[in-house]
Amino acid sequence: MLSVLSSRKEGFLFYFVLHDGDLAFGGGLTEDRLLVCDSACTQKELMLRTLVNKCMNDFVPEVFAFDTWGVDLNRFGFERAGERFRAFWETLRLPHDCGD
């Protein structure tokens, strides 16, 4: 069973723990506004969707991410900015593949 629960961790504006059966992985928004996730996370897209949703709901003005998520960050509203990607609150989105 999968679950993603809010938690706290020093150095993070917000932090979540994703449980995949007996496994647990962390991810969040650092104080430098970088979205990060444990590299061994089995459900990186789910964690990214959780973090992007939180950023959108909390009106985070700008966030960054590295291309380590295993998904196309452009679909989530990010654009390449040097070695990392950047998105603004106005451009963040949760893409869906329902055909609409």
Side-chain angles (χ1 to χ4, degrees), residues 40-78:
C41 183
T42 57
Q43 300 291 328
K44 287 186 178 181
E45 184 171 351
L46 176 58
M47 179 65 82
L48 179 61
R49 287 179 174 278
T50 300
L51 299 176
V52 167
N53 186 60
K54 176 76 170 153
C55 289
M56 292 167 64
N57 288 341
D58 288 4
F59 300 99
V60 177
E62 182 179 34
V63 295
F64 300 93
F66 286 104
D67 191 15
T68 57
W69 292 92
V71 296
D72 180 4
L73 292 173
N74 293 306
R75 294 183 66 223
F76 290 84
F78 287 85

Side-chain angles (χ1 to χ4, degrees), residues 28-37 48 51-52 55 60-69 73 77-89 92:
L29 181 66
T30 68
E31 292 174 346
D32 294 333
R33 297 205 170 140
L34 178 65
L35 296 176
V36 297
C37 177
L48 179 61
L51 299 176
V52 167
C55 289
V60 177
E62 182 179 34
V63 295
F64 300 93
F66 286 104
D67 191 15
T68 57
W69 292 92
L73 292 173
F78 287 85
E79 292 184 354
R80 183 167 288 282
E83 292 185 13
R84 58 188 184 170
F85 287 78
R86 177 177 58 192
F88 299 97
W89 177 81
L92 281 173

